[in-house]
Amino acid sequence: MVIQKKLDTFGRYIILMGRTFSVPERMRMFWKQYVKEMSQLGIDSIGIVLLISFFIGAVICIQMKVNIESPWMPRWVAGYTTREIMLLEFSSSIMCLILAGKVGSNIASEIGTMRVTQQIDALEIMGVNSASYLILPKILGMLTIMPVLVIFSSGMGIVGAYGTAYIGHIMPPDDLTLGLQHNFIPWFLWMSIIKSQFFAFIISSVPAFFGYTVEGGSVNVGKASTDAVVSSSMLILFSDIFLTQLLS
């Protein structure tokens, strides 16, 4: 029964995505919604992305310097490992997990509230493809802004590492710079961006599905929002394993 229920949910999700990815009926209204969602979901998240990335970059640098580096290792190891961790995992995967909580709950609660207040039913009565009208701008907005968030996250993590060097005097800034520049592989940045695109689709589409299919009242909207965040986080973690193996 559990497997049948999961397959039924997956089938409903695929059907909803099929309705979502259709040609918008009014392009002018679509572009207006697209810009609005890109601002609301992505640009408004830049602040928390920069703040978390700064402190994570600083903590990673301190941990690498204090616990990993030894007299047998080059002095630039802390800078090198900080750069690799930020590029390969944190700025794409962990940051998307954080955004799944912020953005995912927002999407699920917004669409879920529209469902229980019968606003979606009103759109359907007027002949509007409510799935495409409500969900498509959110998905495309997240896919557009996510590479910007990844780049900002990586850059701010490096700024946090320099903060430990200049303010905390954990290590000489020259050693940190040498480590950040050592054996840089541009593909790692592209791999981080590619992974984030898959995660952005999960963050935007899965909560939209839970909100769109919610039944009942406001209590069910809260439950759908929680389920959306949990499901998105699990899917990000599972897909991260396969994408890392595929792209490495």
Side-chain angles (χ1 to χ4, degrees), residues 6-229:
K6 297 296 182 183
L7 290 175
D8 178 67
T9 302
F10 180 70
R12 291 162 61 199
Y13 170 78
I14 295 298
I15 293 173
L16 179 62
M17 289 300 104
R19 291 183 56 201
T20 299
F21 287 95
S22 61
V23 179
E25 296 164 352
R26 296 184 180 179
M27 291 301 299
R28 183 178 178 182
M29 186 176 295
F30 168 76
W31 285 111
K32 183 179 179 180
Q33 284 293 113
Y34 167 71
V35 173
K36 176 186 174 183
E37 297 296 346
M38 188 167 56
S39 173
Q40 182 178 343
L41 301 178
I43 296 177
D44 290 351
S45 302
I46 289 180
I48 189 172
V49 167
L50 294 179
L51 182 66
I52 294 175
S53 299
F54 177 86
F55 287 105
I56 291 297
V59 169
I60 291 174
C61 186
I62 294 173
Q63 293 281 18
M64 294 299 105
K65 176 65 178 179
V66 174
N67 297 316
I68 302 299
E69 196 170 276
S70 71
W72 300 99
M73 294 183 179
R75 293 185 299 177
W76 46 259
V77 167
Y80 174 76
T81 52
T82 300
R83 184 198 73 201
E84 298 298 273
I85 292 174
M86 291 299 299
L87 278 180
L88 291 174
E89 200 59 31
F90 179 82
S91 294
S92 58
S93 307
I94 307 302
M95 185 54 63
C96 286
L97 282 174
I98 297 171
L99 291 176
K102 179 184 181 298
V103 176
S105 60
N106 182 20
I107 293 175
S109 59
E110 178 185 344
I111 298 181
T113 302
M114 295 183 69
R115 168 62 75 183
V116 298
T117 56
Q118 299 181 344
Q119 296 180 50
I120 295 179
D121 296 334
L123 290 173
E124 296 287 350
I125 291 174
M126 291 187 293
V128 178
N129 184 352
S130 59
S132 178
Y133 176 76
L134 296 174
I135 301 175
L136 186 59
K138 298 180 186 297
I139 294 176
L140 295 183
M142 279 301 297
L143 290 174
T144 303
I145 202 66
M146 187 58 76
V148 178
L149 296 178
V150 168
I151 294 172
F152 278 17
S153 174
S154 300
M156 188 53 68
I158 293 174
V159 171
Y162 273 109
T164 63
Y166 281 102
I167 300 175
H169 303 290
I170 297 297
M171 63 184 298
D174 293 339
D175 291 344
L176 177 61
T177 302
L178 188 62
L180 292 173
Q181 295 176 343
H182 178 74
N183 196 28
F184 175 67
I185 301 175
W187 169 245
F188 287 169
L189 178 60
W190 286 108
M191 185 169 71
S192 181
I193 292 175
I194 292 171
K195 287 167 61 177
S196 71
Q197 291 290 283
F198 284 90
F199 301 151
F201 181 79
I202 293 173
I203 292 172
S204 53
S205 65
V206 173
F209 166 76
F210 278 94
Y212 193 87
T213 56
V214 69
E215 297 176 352
S218 58
V219 175
N220 299 86
V221 174
K223 183 178 182 300
S225 179
T226 303
D227 293 341
V229 173

